[in-house]
Amino acid sequence: MHRKVVTVLFCDVVGSTALGESVDPEALQGLLARYFERMKAIVESHGGTVEKFIGDAVMAVFGVPAVHEDDALRACWAAVDMRDAFPELGVQGRIGINTGEVVTGTEERLAAGDAVNVAARLQQAARPDEVLVGETTLEQVRAAVDAAPVEPLELKGKSRPVPAFRLISVRDAPARSHEGRFVGRDAELSLIRQAWTRALEGRTCELVTVVGEAGVGKSRLVAEALASIDARTVSGRCLPYGEGITYWPVVEVLKQLDALPSDPSAAAALRSLLGETDAGTTAEEIAWAFRKVLGEQAPLVVAFDDIQWGDETFLDLVEGTALLSSGSPLLLVCMARPELADRRPQWPVTIRLEPLRTDAVDELIGEQIPVELRARIAAAAAGNPLFLTEMLAMAAAGEAVDVPPTLRALLAARLDQLEPEERQVLEGGAVEGEIFHRGAVQALTPRELQLTPRLAALVRRELIRPDQAQLPGEDGFRFRHLLIRDAAYDALPKSTRADLHERFAGWLEHRGAELVELDEILGYHLEQAVLLRAALGHADDALSERAGDRLAAAGRRALWRGDEPAACSLLERAVELVRPARLDVDLELDLAQALFRDPRRAAAIANAAAERAHEGGDRTGEALARFCGVYYRSHYEGDFDLDDLDRLGHEAIPLLEQAGNHAGLVQVWSVLGYSVANMRGRNEDWIRASERALEHSRLAGRRITHLFRIEGALVYGSRPADDALGTLDALLPENPHPQLLVYRAWLLAMLERFDEAAELLRDAGERWRELTGDDWVEGPLAHIASTCGDHAAASAHFRRFCDLQEQRGHRGWLSTYAGWLGRELCLIGEHDEAARWATISREAGSEDDVVTQMLWRQVQALVHARRGEHTQAEPLAREAAELGEPTDWLSFEGDALSDLAEVLAAAGRAEEAAKTYEQALDRYGRKKNLAMVAQVQPRLDALRAGATA
């Protein structure tokens, strides 16, 4: 069985019942015999096949047993000839034509398809001696026919009216016009060469993107250009089933380079990506490390093909490489279909390929082909080089060359000319993908005893070519173009595809254990089997769970390394597969975690999981899901109910411990630390919660890629800066992430080790920015600048961070950082602007968020004091200081007391102000924040000096 696009024609005699009443039975039999014979002859003269006679109706198919490039046009010619033959036969008839996909049997007999039903309905709706054509047919023959629309038809069995057109006449197809593409690509070749020259001369990274329709010659153009320059070239390609296969092209490039960066951290990240170690890494670290290795291997050209299939994280990596690489000559050449613009409208396109010009088409065809055949090939190809090369390959192989109106028809025609055994081998390879392995084809065609000769025949026919294998000990092959693979794959019945995907997954599971992204690939193939069977009404819950579990494993790894876009894609697919079969609360909550930047959706997923767990009697899952639902809801509402969150968390912990659910315990303890203890100002509790999260993360088998923000607790909390520095240094070997190094620089700044802090920040701050691709680093950079006394720089950093939070809708973070921004603005004298940010902080802040409640009061108090509104200023400043008393935020308490002292001094209450400054210095001293002591002590000294004078 095969699926193929054919054109179906129905022809019926009008008024045959009345004719039977007026004509002798023998005469009627002779009339119908002549009618059937003539109709059959007309159909066959145009290359069609009479499928069957139904009463006095004829059903003909164009495309069975062999597809032709112009089957739709042949059917229209046949219909006109049939219509013209009605008068001489002494009958009236009506004809319906429709094009679409059908399933053909092993003996190439038509089996089923909507195209058949619609063609029959069009014939029934036609008037005497009228030919009605379906919309899909007209799309293929529009340039060669005259047709007029009729009212859309209400056809039996169709939910919507069906467009139809009255066929008036048919003419020869007009010659196609030919404009720009491959052999005549001097200008495009020059652009790529010039980019390489710029890269060499400027020691920069140049990005060239070639965009064009499938078959227009993107890959050939790049190959020609790179062959003409003296450069080392490595390449990778995105798989057509690219969801979640984030780093496939990167791994291909790394394997070709056979090198790692000299930086130990960068090398460790790439070893983790390659599956050589179990060390943790993140998407940001991978991108940074990739840039490092390319820079060290320069001068270098890196070519990425079919990037329209690349995951968002991969596209970010390519853009980041182009924008952030410097000091080394690099050329990135990307090839993509126009669909790239739908995903990345701002992606810079250097070359947009158009069809070949007539002179280039003539040059490509050459003189070896007969003149008449050359003209037919040129007219059919319409400047598309893949059309040309495919038809030339057919001619060179001595095969019959038709004039295909579309690439799909051309490729289908080529496939129909293969021997059945060759085609089966080609289809087996198509199930694996554009690149496939001999062992996989053997597993999918176990009865084939002549596999190597079959593969050699396909190479000779230029349908495939040998290629580097992805698996050791295997022979690799690549389809000469992805569209050949698509045509072979699409021709398989869905039931066959499903079986082959499942069988391929079984083969790869045993053969491909060394593949870095084995779970993603297995999950994809099992998922395809599930979806194909579901489309046929054959649900397979066991296979759905198997596919979902593989995608879930891949999604969790992406989540743990911080690759949230890939994690979302993989986990969403896993949930869709698993959810109908079973409730997997952990999987649902992993998806919610991956969607953290969309907290409203994350909360909805968690709450729905809680309801299902409740209905199923799963108390542990319900407790965990309700806890997560409240947490995510708090982020989009900006109103944290810390008591509720704390209660739900501690109710869930014993249940999770009893169940041995370490992954769930990681979620609970991390939230109890960062969100609950942090917002209450209990940093020692935060540290302990982070330590518990780390413990359970190890027990859950996760690669640890962060320390659950313990670094923040060490900086903000009551531990003296030198003790906190020692604790952090002990944790750094486990995870030398630049975020931790930035916080280390903050502690160094507190200890007045400014030169060390600045040196550390020069590398760590930029690395953090490069890894995240956004301005998350601005928050701690602002605090460090403030600690160093550079309040103008601090306000600039805080402003950028606030802008980021506003864009993302994170009201919780915005409320706090708006307060810090307002305070820095006061310190540089911009009190009016500070008042605006105080209002933002107050309106966005939760009542339970202690530091936010302190900050907006501090800022508003300073603004009132500046304006001489002392009665309004003092109560706010005192409230802020009182809110800080129960916390262990020693530095923040010192800030609040220092601001209160300033308010009192402005009101002329020098003695009270001096005592309050002393309290502030006590807090800074206990934290060993020597830098802040150095900033505040002169204010106290000046106040005392003024009082003495």
Side-chain angles (χ1 to χ4, degrees):
M1 294 173 59
H2 283 96
R3 301 173 73 96
K4 58 174 61 180
V5 175
V6 302
T7 299
V8 181
L9 180 152
F10 272 88
C11 175
D12 190 15
V13 174
V14 177
S16 58
T17 302
L19 191 63
E21 293 179 352
S22 59
V23 178
D24 183 83
E26 290 186 31
L28 178 60
Q29 184 180 23
L31 173 62
L32 291 177
R34 291 193 300 276
Y35 159 74
F36 287 132
E37 183 179 355
R38 183 65 181 279
M39 297 300 107
K40 183 174 183 292
I42 291 173
V43 167
E44 292 177 349
S45 70
H46 289 286
T49 301
V50 173
E51 182 69 18
K52 54 188 172 181
F53 298 108
I54 310 168
D56 51 11
V58 177
M59 174 185 171
V61 182
F62 294 81
V64 174
V67 171
H68 303 95
E69 75 290 348
D70 55 353
D71 280 321
L73 185 58
R74 293 176 183 222
C76 292
W77 271 116
V80 170
D81 287 350
M82 294 165 105
R83 184 182 63 189
D84 291 345
F86 290 154
E88 64 184 77
L89 290 170
V91 299
Q92 285 187 309
R94 50 193 178 195
I95 301 172
I97 303 174
N98 193 52
T99 302
E101 190 175 53
V102 299
V103 178
T104 60
T106 55
E107 297 181 358
E108 294 297 332
R109 305 302 294 174
L110 193 65
D114 187 59
V116 179
N117 299 328
V118 173
R121 300 288 182 257
L122 288 171
Q123 173 259 310
Q124 293 166 7
R127 295 180 298 185
D129 294 338
E130 184 176 63
V131 180
L132 290 184
V133 176
E135 187 174 33
T136 53
T137 302
L138 186 65
E139 288 174 355
Q140 295 195 26
V141 300
R142 193 183 301 274
V145 304
D146 292 320
V150 300
E151 286 294 321
L153 304 176
E154 299 284 350
L155 300 183
K156 183 179 179 181
K158 305 298 291 185
S159 59
R160 299 178 183 175
V162 174
F165 304 83
R166 182 181 302 108
L167 180 64
I168 300 170
S169 62
V170 184
R171 57 183 179 275
D172 290 332
R176 295 176 181 268
S177 61
H178 308 288
E179 299 177 358
R181 176 316 200 181
F182 180 7
V183 178
R185 293 297 191 192
D186 293 341
E188 291 86 350
L189 290 171
S190 178
L191 287 172
I192 298 176
R193 293 169 183 151
Q194 290 170 16
W196 177 240
T197 300
R198 290 195 302 272
L200 287 174
E201 294 176 352
R203 299 188 67 78
T204 60
C205 181
E206 292 287 328
L207 171 64
V208 172
T209 302
V210 183
V211 172
E213 296 289 347
V216 80
K218 304 180 292 296
S219 300
R220 178 66 184 275
L221 168 68
V222 171
E224 290 288 326
L226 299 186
S228 68
I229 63 178
D230 183 16
R232 182 186 179 190
T233 300
V234 290
S235 61
R237 89 286 183 219
C238 298
L239 297 182
Y241 47 88
E243 299 101 319
I245 315 284
T246 306
Y247 293 110
W248 185 274
V250 175
V251 170
E252 283 191 301
V253 166
L254 292 175
K255 287 181 178 179
Q256 292 166 46
L257 290 175
D258 194 25
L260 292 171
S262 58
D263 184 294
S265 297
L270 295 186
R271 285 197 179 96
S272 176
L273 173 65
L274 293 168
E276 298 176 2
T277 71
D278 292 328
T281 189
T282 66
E284 295 85 2
E285 287 176 310
I286 290 169
W288 166 73
F290 187 66
R291 293 194 294 273
K292 287 285 187 184
V293 74
L294 294 187
E296 292 175 3
Q297 294 297 311
L300 184 69
V301 178
V302 182
F304 287 122
D305 205 356
D306 285 326
I307 68 168
Q308 75 276 354
W309 285 311
D311 280 358
E312 292 299 322
T313 299
F314 169 75
L315 295 178
D316 290 340
L317 178 146
V318 175
E319 281 193 307
T321 301
L323 293 171
L324 302 175
S325 298
S326 62
S328 302
L330 293 171
L331 175 61
L332 298 181
V333 183
C334 296
M335 291 151 277
R337 294 184 183 181
E339 295 91 319
L340 177 66
D342 296 333
R343 299 177 56 195
R344 293 289 181 106
Q346 303 306 316
W347 190 282
V349 175
T350 311
I351 300 172
R352 194 175 300 277
L353 289 186
E354 300 295 338
L356 283 174
R357 297 185 302 273
T358 302
D359 57 343
V361 170
D362 291 340
E363 181 180 351
L364 184 60
I365 293 175
E367 300 295 328
Q368 294 78 15
I369 306 296
V371 174
E372 181 183 354
L373 185 55
R374 285 208 307 268
R376 291 174 59 200
I377 290 174
N384 184 298
L386 182 62
F387 273 76
L388 290 168
T389 54
E390 287 301 313
M391 285 187 285
L392 290 172
M394 295 172 71
E399 302 168 354
V401 179
D402 296 305
V403 185
T406 65
L407 182 56
R408 180 172 181 175
L410 169 63
L411 296 177
R414 287 210 65 195
L415 295 181
D416 271 6
Q417 294 176 23
L418 294 175
E419 294 295 326
E421 296 81 5
E422 293 175 354
R423 180 162 185 165
Q424 188 176 29
V425 168
L426 195 70
E427 290 165 348
V431 170
E432 181 174 359
E434 185 181 4
I435 291 181
F436 62 94
H437 297 86
R438 185 188 185 281
V441 177
Q442 187 69 75
L444 299 182
T445 57
R447 297 181 181 178
E448 178 54 67
L449 302 179
Q450 301 293 322
L451 182 58
T452 298
R454 305 291 185 212
L455 290 167
L458 293 172
V459 172
R460 285 194 301 272
R461 291 177 179 271
E462 298 189 9
L463 290 168
I464 63 173
R465 64 172 183 264
D467 202 274
Q468 183 176 358
Q470 301 296 321
L471 300 173
E474 281 286 346
D475 293 326
F477 297 89
R478 180 192 290 269
F479 282 89
R480 217 161 57 81
H481 195 284
L482 181 62
L483 294 181
I484 299 173
R485 180 264 170 190
D486 291 345
Y489 179 81
D490 291 342
L492 287 167
K494 290 183 178 179
S495 57
T496 304
R497 287 186 225 167
D499 291 342
L500 292 177
H501 276 296
E502 185 176 4
R503 285 162 55 189
F504 172 76
W507 175 81
L508 187 63
E509 194 167 12
H510 295 289
R511 189 66 184 78
E514 68 277 14
L515 287 175
V516 174
E517 301 194 18
L518 178 64
D519 284 319
E520 287 92 325
I521 298 172
L522 286 177
Y524 165 80
H525 284 281
L526 294 171
E527 178 188 35
Q528 292 306 302
V530 170
L531 297 176
L532 288 164
R533 287 178 182 154
L536 298 172
H538 305 303
D540 189 334
D541 289 345
L543 190 62
S544 292
E545 291 189 78
R546 185 179 165 201
D549 289 341
R550 283 290 186 175
L551 292 174
R556 283 167 174 145
R557 280 199 304 275
L559 182 61
W560 298 340
R561 70 174 179 243
D563 187 354
E564 291 176 358
C568 284
S569 173
L570 290 162
L571 292 170
E572 279 188 293
R573 291 160 58 200
V575 164
E576 289 299 317
L577 289 163
V578 170
R579 190 179 280 166
R582 72 173 192 264
L583 171 62
D584 188 333
V585 174
D586 290 335
L587 178 57
E588 299 276 354
L589 295 180
D590 284 335
L591 174 57
Q593 185 179 350
L595 290 165
F596 180 71
R597 295 193 182 193
D598 186 358
R600 188 181 301 274
R601 189 176 170 204
I605 291 172
N607 292 334
E611 290 302 319
R612 288 189 63 195
H614 175 75
E615 294 170 2
D618 180 2
R619 291 182 58 230
T620 303
E622 179 186 1
L624 177 60
R626 293 205 186 281
F627 171 78
C628 292
V630 170
Y631 172 62
Y632 295 126
R633 185 197 68 206
S634 300
H635 273 280
Y636 71 78
E637 290 183 352
D639 184 14
F640 282 82
D641 187 339
L642 297 184
D643 290 337
D644 192 29
L645 201 56
D646 196 7
R647 175 184 60 80
L648 290 171
H650 283 92
E651 287 176 357
I653 286 172
L655 295 172
L656 293 166
E657 288 176 340
Q658 184 177 1
N661 188 338
H662 297 292
L665 286 163
V666 169
Q667 292 203 51
V668 174
W669 280 115
S670 62
V671 171
L672 290 177
Y674 180 64
S675 290
V676 177
N678 173 26
M679 293 181 71
R680 285 175 169 169
R682 298 174 183 171
N683 290 277
E684 287 300 320
D685 290 345
W686 181 2
I687 292 172
R688 285 190 289 272
S690 295
E691 291 171 343
R692 294 299 302 276
L694 281 168
E695 174 189 349
H696 288 290
S697 184
R698 296 186 186 98
L699 292 172
R702 293 185 175 183
R703 295 182 182 181
I704 300 170
T705 57
H706 58 79
L707 299 177
F708 301 102
R709 312 211 186 190
I710 196 173
E711 66 277 7
L714 292 169
V715 168
Y716 301 145
S718 60
R719 294 191 186 185
D722 51 357
D723 289 348
L725 183 63
T727 302
L728 185 57
D729 283 345
L731 292 169
L732 281 173
E734 187 172 17
N735 184 3
H737 191 282
Q739 177 175 334
L740 278 75
L741 298 176
V742 168
Y743 277 79
R744 185 177 190 273
W746 190 350
L747 291 169
L748 290 170
M750 290 183 183
L751 295 167
E752 292 190 298
R753 293 161 63 177
F754 298 129
D755 290 342
E756 293 177 67
E759 182 178 357
L760 185 58
L761 278 180
R762 273 194 295 271
D763 176 55
E766 188 57 34
R767 272 189 61 199
W768 189 5
R769 194 189 307 277
E770 290 178 8
L771 289 172
T772 59
D774 56 30
D775 292 330
W776 279 103
V777 69
E778 296 294 341
L781 289 181
H783 284 296
I784 294 170
S786 181
T787 302
C788 295
D790 190 347
H791 299 293
S795 63
H797 286 304
F798 275 134
R799 191 184 298 274
R800 284 192 286 272
F801 190 86
C802 288
D803 290 342
L804 177 65
Q805 304 318 308
E806 280 192 303
Q807 292 169 11
R808 292 182 172 171
H810 282 292
R811 291 173 58 84
W813 281 317
L814 175 63
S815 65
T816 304
Y817 281 86
W820 273 320
L821 171 56
R823 186 171 187 273
E824 294 300 318
L825 290 169
C826 288
L827 291 173
I828 59 174
E830 296 184 13
H831 290 80
D832 290 340
E833 178 68 3
R836 185 175 73 85
W837 287 101
T839 300
I840 293 173
S841 177
R842 183 181 70 249
E843 292 178 349
S846 166
E847 290 296 325
D848 285 338
D849 187 350
V850 178
V851 70
T852 297
Q853 295 302 322
M854 291 171 63
L855 282 167
W856 76 257
R857 287 174 169 84
Q858 290 169 239
V859 177
Q860 194 61 57
L862 293 171
V863 170
H864 283 311
R866 174 74 171 187
R867 295 171 178 171
E869 299 163 352
H870 304 302
T871 56
Q872 293 99 318
E874 183 183 348
L876 288 171
R878 288 196 182 279
E879 287 175 14
E882 290 167 0
L883 285 168
E885 287 178 3
T887 75
D888 59 3
W889 287 325
L890 292 177
S891 290
F892 297 161
E893 286 184 68
D895 293 345
L897 289 166
S898 177
D899 292 344
L900 173 58
E902 183 172 338
V903 167
L904 293 170
R909 296 156 66 179
E911 184 176 347
E912 291 180 71
K915 291 180 179 179
T916 306
Y917 272 132
E918 290 173 352
Q919 292 174 1
L921 290 168
D922 170 71
R923 303 303 193 277
Y924 293 135
R926 286 158 55 190
K927 180 62 183 176
K928 208 165 185 178
N929 191 340
L930 306 181
M932 290 308 300
V933 169
Q935 287 188 47
V936 173
Q937 185 66 52
R939 301 179 203 168
L940 174 58
D941 294 343
L943 185 65
R944 285 174 172 164
T948 302

